[in-house]
């Protein structure tokens, strides 16, 4: 399973609302993400609005397409868009960051 780091930007003036919304994500959306192939998905938010996402997936492109095709995701994205600094749906604006080190991978490769 591949690991992915995703970069986004929340409007710094809307951080509290963003955090509140993500403290209670709709159960139907959680199931849609899981069923689409998102695993071990976490979000990290810096006070200036920098948003870092981490997830694992067999194929993140396919997982994104599957969840994007759901009605619940369309509703969520419509509500979240105004919280982001930038244009378009947040789930389509992620910048992927290359992984250059993983402790477990290197330990396994070294036999330790």
């Amino acid at each position: 399973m591949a690991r992915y780091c995703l970069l986004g930007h929340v409007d710094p003036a809307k951080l509290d609302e963003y955090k509140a919304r993500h403290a209670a994500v709709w159960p139907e959306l959680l199931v849609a993400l899981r069923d689409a192939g998102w695993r071990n998905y976490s979000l990290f938010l810096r006070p200036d609005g920098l948003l870092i996402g981490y997830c694992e997936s067999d194929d993140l492109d396919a997982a994104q397409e599957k969840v994007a095709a759901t009605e619940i995701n369309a509703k969520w994205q419509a509500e979240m868009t105004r919280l982001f600094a930038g244009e378009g749906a947040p789930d389509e604006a992620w910048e992927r960051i290359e992984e250059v080190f993983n402790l477990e991978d290197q330990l396994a490769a070294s036999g330790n």
Side-chain angles (χ1 to χ4, degrees), residues 21-102:
R21 296 302 303 268
H22 283 82
V25 173
W26 303 334
E28 194 177 352
L29 180 59
L30 299 174
V31 170
L33 287 162
R34 180 198 63 203
D35 291 351
W38 292 72
R39 301 286 179 266
N40 200 19
Y41 183 26
S42 297
L43 295 171
F44 303 86
L45 183 61
R46 207 166 65 180
D48 66 356
L50 179 67
L51 180 67
I52 304 291
Y54 172 83
C55 71
E56 298 168 353
S57 181
D58 291 326
D59 180 344
L60 187 57
D61 291 328
Q64 284 182 297
E65 287 178 20
K66 286 179 187 174
V67 80
T70 65
E71 185 177 325
I72 193 67
N73 184 67
K75 289 178 183 178
W76 180 264
Q77 295 306 320
E79 292 196 19
M80 291 296 105
T81 296
R82 66 183 185 73
L83 302 179
F84 279 77
E87 300 295 319
D91 66 335
E92 297 173 6
W94 283 117
E95 176 185 349
R96 291 188 190 179
I97 307 299
E98 177 185 8
E99 180 180 33
V100 296
F101 170 79
N102 181 274

